[in-house]
Amino acid sequence: MPDLCGIPLAHPVLNASGTYDAIAARRVFGDALLEDFPFAAFVSKTITPEPRAGNAPRRIWETPAGMINSIGLPNKGLEGFLVEDLPQLAELPVPLVVSVMATGREEFVRLVEAVGAREEVAAIELNVSCPNVHSGLIVGEQPSETVALLQALRPLTAKPLIVKLTPNVADPAAVAIAAEEGGADAVSLINTLKASAFDPASGEPALAAGHGGLSGPAVRPIALQQLRAVTAAVSVPAIGMGGICDGADAAEFLAAGASLVAVGTESFRDPGAGSRIAAELETARPGTLRV
Ligand code: RRO
């Protein structure tokens, strides 16, 4: 049986943070969502200490075999999340992972202390890789910052800490090694790749923020190579993601060293993608890949 840092899971498919709004889905599908929830664990949209409105529109732009987003981390902030969202997410029939992001170490401490104290939360994902917010401290781009952050956070909670790695560095394995050294229980990769597009009608940047992060099938081979490099370098488990659309794709990520996989962009096209991919994976083990 697959597990998330020792937490048993029904299958190996999770959602990528920020790509599936379980609270909105529950409003639409009602309790039927709980009976057939698509993911084996649910990862929340990233939260920050204070509320954020996110970036101005346009925030999403379709590209060949993918999309660029520049959502900019809209969220209710820590207090809003704990009061309004956590009770609803706790009703999901799967373990809950809360994704957190802050611009400095003290703010990360505040988030991990508060979220880690809640029994509804199974694990915490540290998002040190959002391409769409300007932070003075780009922790996930520097191994020394990553190890220092983990060393500050590790003593604060016994819950598993998962570090979401950025693909926007020359050597993601060096950051993964730093995360492991600091006491991370797992890594997850990849977040989106820094990308731009221009509106052919106007010649202006397609996204109001000017740039964003690329996801979808276009990034899959890059994700597989980074996963391969990272899993060769660390012994903590890796959650692999980047353009997974079907069971054969998921099998490739397992072959590249992932212990679990996550589905992101494909859930916008098919909200049931998680359970479909889990079922397809049963017949698409490595060595039986489609040709
Ligand atoms: O909200 C976003 O714009 C965003 C985040 Br936090 C992230 O981690 N990755 C991404 O592509 N978009």
Side-chain angles (χ1 to χ4, degrees), residues 221-240:
I222 300 169
L224 286 166
Q225 167 51 20
Q226 296 205 356
L227 183 63
R228 203 169 152 252
V230 162
T231 54
V234 297
S235 29
V236 292
I239 304 167

Side-chain angles (χ1 to χ4, degrees), residues 45-46 55 69-74 127 129-132 164 191-192 213:
K45 167 83 183 150
T46 301
N55 291 339
N69 86 79
S70 185
I71 310 296
L73 215 39
N127 185 354
S129 51
C130 176
N132 295 333
K164 179 85 172 262
N191 206 322
T192 53

Side-chain angles (χ1 to χ4, degrees), residues 61 63 65-70 129-132 141 164-172 189-197 207 210-226 241-243 253 265:
W61 186 258
T63 63
M67 62 177 241
I68 305 176
N69 86 79
S70 185
S129 51
C130 176
N132 295 333
E141 291 183 352
K164 179 85 172 262
L165 300 173
T166 177
N168 300 304
V169 288
D171 188 5
L189 68 155
I190 60 173
N191 206 322
T192 53
L193 283 147
K194 275 187 195 167
S196 286
L207 298 159
H211 69 278
L214 179 66
S215 63
V219 310
R220 194 187 309 135
I222 300 169
L224 286 166
Q225 167 51 20
Q226 296 205 356
M241 68 200 87
F253 278 72
T265 305

Side-chain angles (χ1 to χ4, degrees), residues 6-258:
I7 303 159
L9 301 180
H11 60 75
V13 183
L14 280 54
N15 66 301
S17 171
T19 60
Y20 187 93
D21 186 338
I23 294 174
R26 177 88 188 272
R27 268 199 302 273
V28 173
F29 299 113
D31 287 351
L33 181 78
L34 307 185
E35 282 146 34
D36 189 19
F37 194 68
F39 306 107
F42 182 73
V43 186
S44 78
K45 167 83 183 150
T46 301
I47 62 162
T48 52
E50 301 303 326
R52 289 177 53 95
N55 291 339
R58 191 182 298 116
R59 292 172 163 187
I60 288 179
W61 186 258
E62 195 168 339
T63 63
M67 62 177 241
I68 305 176
N69 86 79
S70 185
I71 310 296
L73 215 39
N75 76 100
K76 296 173 180 170
L78 175 63
E79 287 313 314
F81 174 80
L82 294 176
V83 172
E84 294 172 34
D85 291 358
L86 185 57
Q88 299 183 68
L89 296 177
E91 289 182 8
L92 299 176
V94 295
L96 175 64
V97 181
V98 176
S99 170
V100 301
M101 187 262 177
T103 51
R105 217 170 287 162
E106 298 72 24
E107 287 192 343
F108 262 114
V109 164
R110 193 177 144 210
L111 288 166
V112 168
E113 276 180 338
V115 171
R118 299 299 294 251
E119 63 176 20
E120 303 94 317
V121 177
I124 300 172
E125 182 170 81
L126 305 171
N127 185 354
V128 293
S129 51
C130 176
N132 295 333
V133 286
H134 300 284
S135 122
L137 183 70
I138 306 191
V139 177
E141 291 183 352
Q142 293 158 11
S144 58
E145 293 291 343
T146 301
V147 74
L149 178 67
L150 266 293
Q151 283 168 347
L153 301 181
R154 181 67 283 172
L156 304 178
T157 180
K159 296 200 165 138
L161 292 175
I162 305 162
V163 176
K164 179 85 172 262
L165 300 173
T166 177
N168 300 304
V169 288
D171 188 5
V175 182
I177 290 168
E180 181 175 51
E181 193 185 323
D185 299 279
V187 291
S188 54
L189 68 155
I190 60 173
N191 206 322
T192 53
L193 283 147
K194 275 187 195 167
S196 286
F198 290 81
D199 186 342
S202 64
E204 296 295 319
L207 298 159
H211 69 278
L214 179 66
S215 63
V219 310
R220 194 187 309 135
I222 300 169
L224 286 166
Q225 167 51 20
Q226 296 205 356
L227 183 63
R228 203 169 152 252
V230 162
T231 54
V234 297
S235 29
V236 292
I239 304 167
M241 68 200 87
I244 295 176
C245 297
D246 62 23
D249 298 339
E252 276 197 84
F253 278 72
L254 298 179

